[in-house]
C-alpha cells in the first residue's frame, strides 16, 4: 500500500512539475545573474592514441550539476518524495560540449536520466566516448610522454549567462582501467575565461590535462634491441677474411634490415619535422654502416693488390705494420703480441738465408754453381749455368712479388682490425647516448 501511494504521488509530482515547464529556456529567475553549472569528469578508459592522426579516443563519465528554479517542490506535499529520476530530454540542459572534438559525427553524451531533487538541483551523469585532438610530440619516442587536453565549455551561453566551474581540482581516476601502452600520471583541471575574437563576452571553460607516459617495454624488445644487436653485428664484417667474398654482402644485409625497422617506425609516426629518438638512432647507425661498407670496399682493394703493385711506402710500413699492428694484436703465425718482432721491410739478398720462405740451401745453389769441381768439371756447359741463373732470378723475383703482396695483405688485415674496434666503440657510444638521453 505504501509503494502504491508513493507511485501515485510520483505521477502527480511529474504532472505538476511539467505542466507549465519549457525545456527551451535557461531556468533562472533573474536573467541578470549567471546560472552556476559544475562539471566533473571521470576517466574510465583510454581506448586508443592515434599518433599519426593526433587523436585521443577515451571513455569518460561526465557529471553536470545545476539548479533549476522552476523544478522545486515541497516533499511533504508528495508523501516525502525527495528525488525523482526522469529522462534528460524533459529538462533544460546546458550545451556543454568538448571544444577540441575530433569525431566525424560530433556525437554527444548518452541520453541517460537525470536526478531531480526537491530543492530543484539537477545532476546529470552520462557516459561518453570522445575523440579529442591532441598535439603529439614524438621527439623522444618510445620514451615519450604526452599532454592531452580535454576542454569543456558552453557553445552558446557566455560567462554572464552560465558560470561553468570544475567540481574538483583533478579528474577522477578511481575507476580507471589500466592501459597496456600508456600510463596515466595525473589529470589536473583548470578553469579558464577566454574572450574570443567573434564576441565581446567572456566564455569560461574547464580544461582537463591528461598526463600520459608511454610504456616502452614493447618497443624496446621489438624495435630497439634488434637494432642494437644488428648494429653490433655490422663491425664484424671487418673480421671476415677478405677471401670469403661476404664482407660487402654482410654490410648491405645489415643496412637493409635497419631500413625495414625504420619503415616500421615511420608508419606509426606523424609526418612532422621532429624526428623520433629511435629514428635518429637508426639514421646514425645506417650512416655508420654505409661508411663501414665503403671502407670495406677500399680495404678489399688493398688486399687484392696484384703482382704489379708498388712496395708498401715507408710511412705506411712504420705506422700500420709496426704501431697499428702491435696495437690491434695482428701478428703472423707463430708470433704473439709480446714476442720480439724482426725488422719489417728488410731486404733479402742473394745469399741471405733469412728471407721469408727460403731455405738455407737455396742461396748455396748459386754459390756452388760458380765453382768447378776438379772431379767433374762442367765449365764448358755455360748454357746450363745461364739457365740455372735465370731460373734462380725468376724464383727470387717471384718471392719478392709474393713478399710485396703479403705486405699489402697484412696492411689490409691491420686496417680491418683497427676499424672493427673503432666501429664497435661507435656503436657502443651511440647506444649509451640514446638510452641516456631517453632516461
Amino acid at each position: 500500500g505504501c509503494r502504491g501511494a508513493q507511485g501515485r504521488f510520483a505521477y502527480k509530482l511529474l504532472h505538476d512539475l511539467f505542466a507549465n515547464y519549457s525545456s527551451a529556456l535557461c531556468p533562472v529567475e533573474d536573467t541578470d545573474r549567471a546560472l552556476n553549472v559544475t562539471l566533473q569528469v571521470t576517466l574510465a578508459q583510454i581506448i586508443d592514441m592515434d599518433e599519426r592522426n593526433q587523436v585521443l579516443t577515451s571513455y569518460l563519465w561526465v557529471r553536470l550539476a545545476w539548479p533549476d528554479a522552476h523544478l522545486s517542490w515541497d516533499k511533504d506535499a508528495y508523501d516525502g518524495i525527495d528525488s525523482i529520476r526522469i529522462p534528460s530530454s524533459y529538462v533544460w540542459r546546458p550545451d556543454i560540449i568538448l571544444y577540441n572534438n575530433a569525431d566525424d559525427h560530433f556525437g554527444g553524451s548518452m541520453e541517460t536520466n537525470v536526478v531531480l531533487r526537491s530543492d530543484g538541483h539537477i545532476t546529470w551523469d552520462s557516459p561518453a566516448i570522445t575523440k579529442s585532438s591532441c598535439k603529439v610530440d614524438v621527439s623522444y619516442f618510445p620514451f615519450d610522454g604526452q599532454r592531452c587536453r580535454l576542454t569543456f565549455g558552453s557553445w552558446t551561453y557566455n560567462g554572464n549567462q552560465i558560470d561553468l566551474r570544475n567540481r574538483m581540482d583533478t579528474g577522477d581516476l578511481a575507476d580507471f582501467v589500466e592501459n597496456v601502452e600508456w600510463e596515466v600520471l595525473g589529470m589536473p583541471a583548470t578553469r579558464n575565461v577566454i574572450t574570443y575574437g567573434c564576441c565581446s563576452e567572456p566564455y569560461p571553460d574547464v580544461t582537463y590535462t591528461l598526463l600520459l607516459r608511454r610504456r616502452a617495454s614493447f618497443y624496446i624488445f621489438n624495435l630497439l634491441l634488434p637494432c642494437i644487436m644488428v648494429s653490433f653485428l655490422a663491425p664484424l664484417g671487418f673480421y671476415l677474411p677478405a677471401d670469403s667474398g661476404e664482407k660487402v654482402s654482410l654490410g648491405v644485409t645489415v643496412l637493409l634490415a635497419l631500413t625495414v625497422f625504420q619503415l616500421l617506425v615511420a608508419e606509426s609516426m606523424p609526418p612532422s619535422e621532429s624526428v623520433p629518438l629511435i629514428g635518429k638512432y637508426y639514421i646514425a647507425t645506417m650512416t655508420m654502416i654505409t661508411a663501414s661498407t665503403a671502407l670495406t670496399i677500399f680495404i678489399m682493394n688493398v688486399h687484392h693488390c696484384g703482382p704489379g703493385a708498388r712496395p708498401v711506402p715507408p710511412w705506411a710500413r712504420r705506422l700500420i705494420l709496426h704501431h697499428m699492428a702491435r696495437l690491434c694484436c695482428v701478428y703472423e703465425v707463430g708470433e704473439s703480441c709480446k714476442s720480439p718482432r724482426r725488422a719489417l721491410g728488410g731486404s733479402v739478398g742473394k745469399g741471405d738465408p733469412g728471407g721469408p720462405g727460403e731455405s738455407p740451401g737455396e742461396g748455396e745453389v748459386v754459390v756452388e754453381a760458380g765453382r768447378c769441381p776438379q772431379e767433374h768439371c762442367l765449365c764448358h756447359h755455360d748454357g746450363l749455368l745461364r739457365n740455372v741463373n735465370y731460373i734462380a732470378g725468376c724464383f727470387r723475383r717471384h718471392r719478392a712479388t709474393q713478399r710485396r703482396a703479403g705486405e699489402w695483405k697484412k696492411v689490409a688485415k691491420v686496417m680491418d682490425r683497427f676499424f672493427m674496434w673503432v666501429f664497435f666503440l661507435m656503436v657502443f657510444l651511440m647506444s649509451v647516448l640514446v638510452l641516456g638521453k631517453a632516461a
Side-chain angles (χ1 to χ4, degrees):
C2 294
R3 292 180 182 176
Q6 270 198 345
R8 289 195 301 271
F9 280 110
Y11 276 103
K12 184 177 184 301
L13 173 62
L14 184 63
H15 180 269
D16 293 342
L17 285 177
F18 293 97
N20 297 315
Y21 181 82
S22 174
S23 61
L25 299 177
C26 184
V28 290
E29 293 181 350
D30 187 1
T31 57
D32 294 334
R33 298 182 63 183
L35 180 67
N36 295 324
V37 178
T38 59
L39 171 68
Q40 176 61 33
V41 172
T42 300
L43 178 64
Q45 185 181 2
I46 295 176
I47 299 176
D48 181 40
M49 167 66 88
D50 189 355
E51 291 93 348
R52 190 169 187 84
N53 295 318
Q54 303 190 81
V55 174
L56 171 67
T57 304
S58 55
Y59 178 38
L60 305 176
W61 298 343
V62 182
R63 169 173 289 187
L64 290 171
W66 67 94
D68 195 318
H70 307 304
L71 294 179
S72 60
W73 70 90
D74 184 8
K75 60 183 179 180
D76 295 331
Y78 293 93
D79 197 22
I81 297 178
D82 183 59
S83 63
I84 58 173
R85 287 159 179 82
I86 58 177
S88 59
S89 58
Y90 284 19
V91 301
W92 175 89
R93 294 172 296 178
D95 55 346
I96 305 299
I97 65 170
L98 181 64
Y99 279 176
N100 55 334
N101 195 347
D103 197 355
D104 297 337
H105 305 289
F106 287 94
S109 303
M110 186 180 295
E111 294 292 334
T112 57
N113 291 340
V114 298
V115 179
L116 177 59
R117 294 197 318 215
S118 59
D119 57 355
H121 192 273
I122 298 177
T123 303
W124 183 26
D125 290 331
S126 61
I129 296 178
T130 62
K131 290 185 177 181
S132 58
S133 58
C134 177
K135 184 179 180 181
V136 179
D137 184 11
V138 293
S139 300
Y140 291 93
F141 176 85
F143 306 97
D144 57 329
Q146 305 298 334
R147 299 170 63 92
C148 294
R149 292 178 172 83
L150 301 170
T151 303
F152 294 90
S154 174
W155 190 253
T156 57
Y157 292 99
N158 56 51
N160 300 325
Q161 297 167 332
I162 287 183
D163 186 14
L164 180 63
R165 294 187 177 273
N166 49 306
R167 184 179 179 185
M168 299 173 61
D169 293 334
T170 61
D172 189 5
L173 301 175
D175 299 315
F176 176 69
V177 179
E178 292 291 336
N179 189 268
V180 295
E181 185 179 0
W182 295 96
E183 179 184 0
V184 178
L185 303 180
M187 194 177 178
T190 57
R191 180 179 182 271
N192 308 303
V193 178
I194 302 176
T195 301
Y196 296 97
C198 65
C199 314
S200 60
E201 298 84 2
Y203 281 83
D205 63 67
V206 176
T207 300
Y208 290 89
T209 304
L210 191 58
L211 306 179
L212 302 174
R213 183 171 62 190
R214 192 189 301 271
R215 303 180 191 270
S217 301
F218 174 81
Y219 299 98
I220 289 176
F221 285 102
N222 290 278
L223 291 179
L224 192 57
L225 283 183
C227 177
I228 293 177
M229 290 189 289
V230 169
S231 302
F232 276 101
L233 183 64
L236 292 178
F238 291 106
Y239 194 75
L240 278 176
D243 297 329
S244 65
E246 298 293 333
K247 294 171 73 70
V248 178
S249 300
L250 178 62
V252 173
T253 304
V254 172
L255 192 62
L256 291 176
L258 288 178
T259 304
V260 172
F261 283 117
Q262 188 187 19
L263 290 176
L264 291 177
V265 175
E267 285 180 357
S268 59
M269 293 295 102
S272 61
E273 294 183 357
S274 60
V275 181
L277 184 63
I278 190 172
K280 295 178 182 178
Y281 180 71
Y282 284 165
I283 292 297
T285 306
M286 292 170 66
T287 304
M288 184 197 66
I289 294 175
T290 304
S292 67
T293 306
L295 284 173
T296 299
I297 296 173
F298 172 74
I299 293 173
M300 288 183 65
N301 190 18
V302 173
H303 177 84
H304 292 287
C305 285
R310 297 180 181 179
V312 178
W315 64 269
R317 184 181 289 111
R318 182 171 56 255
L319 176 64
I320 299 177
L321 296 182
H322 181 69
H323 298 292
M324 290 177 59
R326 182 175 294 273
L327 179 65
C328 300
C329 277
V330 178
Y331 48 88
E332 299 294 341
V333 178
E335 296 179 349
S336 65
C337 293
K338 298 182 180 180
S339 62
R341 302 167 64 90
R342 61 173 184 263
L344 294 169
S347 59
V348 181
K350 275 188 178 183
D352 187 7
E358 292 187 5
S359 62
E362 290 178 357
E364 297 176 359
V365 174
V366 182
V367 177
E368 293 293 336
R371 300 179 181 179
C372 292
Q374 295 181 358
E375 298 85 5
H376 304 284
C377 184
L378 301 177
C379 295
H380 57 282
H381 297 288
D382 296 333
L384 180 61
L385 292 177
R386 286 195 299 271
N387 292 336
V388 170
N389 289 331
Y390 175 76
I391 293 173
C394 290
F395 181 74
R396 284 193 295 271
R397 288 192 297 272
H398 178 68
R399 297 294 296 182
T401 302
Q402 285 185 340
R403 193 159 50 246
R404 287 197 300 270
E407 287 183 348
W408 282 115
K409 288 183 179 180
K410 189 172 182 181
V411 168
K413 186 177 181 180
V414 172
M415 294 175 65
D416 267 335
R417 296 296 186 274
F418 176 75
F419 285 117
M420 181 186 72
W421 292 114
V422 167
F423 278 89
F424 264 128
L425 182 62
M426 291 175 61
V427 171
F428 176 76
L429 289 179
M430 281 195 303
S431 303
V432 170
L433 286 176
V434 168
L435 296 177
K437 192 173 182 180

